[in-house]
Amino acid sequence: QVQLVESGGGLVQAGGSLRLSCAPSGRTAINHAMGWFRRAPGKDRVFVATITGDGRKTRYADAVQGRFTISRDNSKNTVYLQMDNLNPEDTAVYYCAAQPGGLGSEPTSWGQGTQVTVSS
């Protein structure tokens, strides 16, 4: 299993933006589908977005559609989550996950998570 590391979380005001990054800790290439998930306080971890290995197809949760953008740069072995127009309901720990089975498949590896806090 690949070890993933997220970065880019922080505190932002409502309406602001953040960009999260996810990369493997070693030299393992992540050329398969990847996803972002989040766990809000007191809630289960839920799906946010997923992207194919070539970056051509994406899928989003209804709650973030139109505000978040998942992308990847395979030359940098990195997956991103651009989050715009954030609101307090987006406050959560965000996790990236490897989905080698394809777009939206069951994750096989997880990062440690990065905290995103949106103040009103």
Side-chain angles (χ1 to χ4, degrees):
Q1 291 185 342
V2 61
Q3 291 187 323
L4 301 169
V5 180
E6 303 95 336
S7 61
L11 174 64
V12 63
Q13 289 187 332
S17 299
L18 282 174
R19 189 177 79 158
L20 306 182
S21 299
C22 171
S25 60
R27 292 189 174 186
T28 304
I30 47 170
N31 53 7
H32 45 63
M34 296 287 292
W36 285 97
F37 295 74
R38 68 186 183 185
R39 188 195 304 272
K43 297 186 178 181
D44 293 333
R45 185 161 54 189
V46 298
F47 165 76
V48 174
T50 183
I51 187 168
T52 51
D54 61 7
R56 293 183 178 182
K57 293 183 179 179
T58 59
R59 190 180 297 166
Y60 298 91
D62 289 344
V64 307
Q65 180 76 48
R67 300 187 298 120
F68 290 12
T69 303
I70 188 171
S71 63
R72 65 193 303 156
D73 184 342
N74 286 344
S75 69
K76 297 182 178 179
N77 214 23
T78 301
V79 178
Y80 304 98
L81 185 68
Q82 176 68 40
M83 305 185 295
D84 297 318
N85 194 21
L86 285 160
N87 60 62
E89 289 70 37
D90 297 315
T91 294
V93 177
Y94 284 72
Y95 302 87
C96 72
Q99 298 175 296
L103 191 71
S105 64
E106 189 70 21
T108 59
S109 300
W110 297 90
Q112 83 290 347
T114 186
Q115 177 70 48
V116 171
T117 303
V118 185
S119 63
S120 57

